[in-house]
Amino acid sequence: MFVIFLRVLIIYVTVLFFLRIMGKRQIGEMQPYELVITLILADLATIPMSDTNVPLLNGIVPLSILVLIHYLITLLTRKNIKIRRFMSGRPVVVISPKGIEYKALKDLNMNIDDLLESIRQCNYYSFDQVLYAIIETNGKMSVIPTSANAPATANDIGKNNPPAELPHVLVSDGKLIKDELKAVNLDNKKLNKILSKLNTNIKDLLIFSMDEKGKVYYQKKNSQYQIIDNIKRN
């Protein structure tokens, strides 16, 4: 009995240590590859716990290999946007100013009831309250409400809310996201010209986003963020 207790304790501490190394995300916040690795970790951990014929080392080694795989995948997804998108996918707009994006809904294997449930969880109860709804890569929904339904702030008192715009991330962690350039009527040359005026470049940026009206949010690595309301694109 003492041997079983000791094995369970060792495996428990080992799995807990590995999960702390992997990060503090909750199950609902995990990317698909993180969830798969976590489920396999849990399954593998039960084998040396319940079967005393399995050497303890034979249980710990596979767990260690899985954690190493997780670390390598995480490292690659940080360094390479294509790998990141392959492993985690990309956010999908399911509601836009045009209405419900049927093709996107179909690709996600969602129906209208699923969509309604998701926007209700974001405290919106009608499609006309939502300007944009986005299914994130972890499966959660983010909502940008219409101006009339946006929460009021101190700056809004006595002012008319401007129409909300969806920002497009053009640079992420020093990597250019070419697919987003067309959405804000830019190309590589124009973007580099803008960055030159801001005394920065793509590699030095942690993030650079722009909406269709030209509002820019950017932050250099290890620096404070900056906002420009209407940047010149020419």
Side-chain angles (χ1 to χ4, degrees):
M1 184 64 69
F2 177 74
V3 173
I4 294 176
F5 174 80
L6 191 61
R7 289 169 68 93
V8 170
L9 182 62
I10 292 172
I11 292 295
Y12 171 78
V13 172
T14 302
V15 172
L16 182 63
F17 173 71
F18 285 157
L19 289 176
R20 289 296 301 271
I21 291 176
M22 290 169 61
K24 294 186 177 181
R25 294 195 203 214
Q26 297 179 6
I27 294 295
E29 298 172 344
M30 288 183 174
Q31 298 295 340
Y33 73 90
E34 293 176 312
L35 180 59
V36 169
I37 288 176
T38 302
L39 292 175
I40 297 174
L41 275 176
D43 193 46
L44 282 175
T46 61
I47 297 173
M49 280 184 178
S50 58
D51 189 352
T52 55
N53 293 321
V54 177
L56 199 59
L57 192 61
N58 287 7
I60 294 176
V61 170
L63 296 176
S64 305
I65 292 171
L66 277 175
V67 173
L68 178 61
I69 290 171
H70 175 271
Y71 173 78
L72 292 174
I73 293 175
T74 303
L75 183 64
L76 289 171
T77 54
R78 280 207 309 263
K79 299 292 184 181
N80 191 296
I81 292 174
K82 290 182 179 180
I83 294 177
R84 185 188 314 164
R85 286 182 174 173
F86 176 77
M87 297 301 299
S88 303
R90 65 173 67 191
V92 178
V93 176
V94 291
I95 299 177
S96 71
K98 297 178 182 178
I100 297 170
E101 298 289 341
Y102 174 72
K103 186 178 184 302
L105 212 61
K106 190 175 179 181
D107 291 341
L108 292 170
N109 199 25
M110 291 180 68
N111 55 45
I112 298 298
D113 290 338
D114 295 331
L115 192 59
L116 269 171
E117 181 181 345
S118 295
I119 67 170
R120 284 197 297 267
Q121 289 174 349
C122 296
N123 295 320
Y124 298 97
Y125 301 93
S126 175
F127 291 128
D128 60 7
Q129 295 178 304
V130 177
L131 186 68
Y132 287 97
I134 305 161
I135 302 296
E136 306 294 353
T137 56
N138 61 7
K140 289 190 173 183
M141 175 178 280
S142 300
V143 169
I144 299 176
T146 58
S147 297
N149 293 282
T153 65
N155 291 331
D156 296 327
I157 298 175
K159 297 181 181 179
N160 292 323
N161 287 346
E165 295 286 345
L166 180 66
H168 298 271
V169 178
L170 307 182
V171 179
S172 174
D173 199 12
K175 303 291 190 303
L176 176 65
I177 304 176
K178 295 181 181 179
D179 296 348
E180 298 292 334
L181 289 174
K182 291 182 181 179
V184 290
N185 297 317
L186 286 179
D187 54 29
N188 288 22
K189 186 176 180 181
K190 289 180 180 179
L191 177 61
N192 285 324
K193 189 175 180 181
I194 291 172
L195 296 181
S196 178
K197 291 178 181 178
L198 299 175
N199 296 317
T200 187
N201 56 65
I202 291 172
K203 290 184 178 181
D204 290 340
L205 287 168
L206 180 63
I207 186 171
F208 184 97
S209 68
M210 180 187 293
D211 64 22
E212 294 175 11
K213 289 189 174 180
K215 183 177 180 179
V216 167
Y217 175 103
Y218 76 98
Q219 182 177 344
K220 297 180 184 179
K221 296 174 182 177
N222 302 316
S223 298
Q224 187 174 344
Y225 75 87
Q226 302 288 331
I227 296 176
I228 301 174
D229 283 330
N230 189 8
I231 199 164
K232 293 183 179 179
R233 309 187 201 195
N234 297 323

